[in-house]
Amino acid sequence: MADSYAMVKGGKLNLKGHKMKKSKKHKSHKRKHDGSSASAPSRSQDHEDVAKHGGWWEVKQFADITANIAIEVGDSVYITALDNGGLAIGEPRDEGDGPDPAEIFTAIKINDTKVAFKSGYGKYVTVEADGKLEAKVEAMGAREQFEPVFQDGKLALNGCNNCFLTCDEDGELACSARTAGDGEFVRLRSCAVRERDPLEDIPLEERGSVKDAEINYVKKFQSFQDRRLRVNEEDKTALKKAKKEGDFHEVLLDRRATALSSPPGPELQLNSPP
């Protein structure tokens, strides 16, 4: 079986109408930009998306693929398994509803890049010789493995024939596209419980003592023409009280105004503010 897996070619997400050379040139910069710290609006949008899909969240990387997976091919539209071994496009789900049981597959990771999907009827999704998809076999081989290709916030499923999963106007599913365009982009959704970061709702600047928080905000908003840090040196008791009572930022602004009217503090050791 290991030899069969070795036969399968890995694929890249070739976007229709784009030259790979040009895309590769900008790939590193793009990912660096997208990988920066998550903003509050993006977290809010993520929560809204999860609620809209009945608690099923979008998989953003291979490591997040879990046992129960739904393959979304349109807005709240999922691939569904039929009892005769066929695969079809399910009916659109209402907002707030997740996928039906027949639309939930068991994802089995084969290695660090490949995964197989087993339907609720215990059959593996297979790429047939003509590229069409069925779920009729009970054993997993080379034709039953797929490579989820993540790039620039999009996902396409690459089959064993090195073609991407696509759906035609009649709703027929097949791995037949050599490049990935809008018709080949899908979403994998999971209902697994994600561990919540206890500090998720706390701004990065405030994840420490009130003294550290005040310095962080000063570094963030102060212009450093003279490379001097202006921090209010008064007692921090008022800050601690304000943090408990919910007016932390107001007190910070008052303290900053006082600090700006006072002589500058020590010279910064940093070349530029964080």
Side-chain angles (χ1 to χ4, degrees):
M1 187 175 291
D3 293 338
S4 297
Y5 294 156
M7 294 170 57
V8 180
K9 299 178 180 179
K12 294 184 178 179
L13 190 50
N14 301 334
L15 304 180
K16 288 180 179 177
H18 290 72
K19 295 181 179 180
M20 281 304 296
K21 204 169 187 181
K22 188 173 182 181
S23 175
K24 186 175 181 181
K25 179 179 179 182
H26 296 284
K27 180 179 176 183
S28 174
H29 174 74
K30 179 70 176 178
R31 287 194 173 182
K32 183 177 180 181
H33 176 75
D34 292 344
S36 58
S37 59
S39 62
S42 65
R43 288 198 298 267
S44 175
Q45 291 170 2
D46 181 60
H47 293 159
E48 291 176 4
D49 180 71
V50 173
K52 179 181 177 181
H53 294 85
W56 288 71
W57 47 273
E58 183 180 352
V59 171
K60 300 287 189 180
Q61 57 184 351
F62 187 84
D64 291 337
I65 295 177
T66 57
N68 289 335
I69 286 290
I71 306 173
E72 186 181 16
V73 294
D75 191 12
S76 296
V77 176
Y78 305 92
I79 294 177
T80 185
L82 307 178
D83 56 7
N84 62 0
L87 294 171
I89 304 300
E91 293 296 324
R93 301 284 143 230
D94 293 332
E95 184 169 334
D97 291 342
D100 276 358
E103 297 168 339
I104 300 173
F105 295 81
T106 300
I108 302 170
K109 291 182 178 178
I110 300 168
N111 51 36
D112 292 337
T113 59
K114 304 254 185 346
V115 63
F117 299 101
K118 182 188 285 188
S119 74
Y121 298 102
K123 309 295 184 180
Y124 286 96
V125 177
T126 300
V127 179
E128 299 295 336
D130 58 0
K132 295 180 180 179
L133 262 62
E134 292 185 340
K136 295 182 177 180
V137 302
E138 298 181 354
M140 177 173 49
R143 293 192 301 165
E144 285 70 51
Q145 60 180 301
F146 297 82
E147 180 183 8
V149 183
F150 298 86
Q151 184 175 309
D152 296 335
K154 300 181 184 297
L155 166 64
L157 287 176
N158 197 20
C160 64
N161 58 356
N162 208 28
C163 291
F164 293 102
L165 171 64
T166 189
C167 178
D168 63 20
E169 295 179 354
D170 298 325
E172 188 170 87
L173 296 161
C175 285
S176 57
R178 289 291 178 183
T179 56
D182 291 342
E184 289 70 51
F185 296 142
V186 300
R187 292 185 179 92
L188 297 182
R189 290 194 176 273
S190 170
C191 63
V193 177
R194 292 184 287 183
E195 292 185 8
R196 186 178 182 277
D197 182 359
L199 302 178
E200 179 181 355
D201 298 325
I202 302 176
L204 292 175
E205 293 83 2
E206 298 179 26
R207 298 182 184 183
S209 67
V210 292
K211 179 180 178 181
D212 292 337
E214 185 170 24
I215 292 175
N216 289 338
Y217 276 114
V218 169
K219 289 180 177 179
K220 183 174 182 178
F221 296 110
Q222 180 182 320
S223 59
F224 290 86
Q225 290 90 344
D226 58 1
R227 302 184 75 251
R228 299 279 180 174
L229 186 65
R230 289 177 169 83
V231 180
N232 194 310
E233 299 297 337
E234 296 178 4
D235 186 72
K236 311 293 182 185
T237 303
L239 271 181
K240 294 178 182 178
K241 181 180 178 181
K243 194 168 187 178
K244 292 180 180 179
E245 296 180 352
D247 57 348
F248 184 64
H249 294 95
E250 294 178 19
V251 175
L252 273 178
L253 286 173
D254 292 340
R255 290 173 61 87
R256 185 176 173 222
T258 302
L260 290 175
S261 63
S262 304
E267 185 175 344
L268 284 176
Q269 297 300 315
L270 301 175
N271 292 328
S272 61

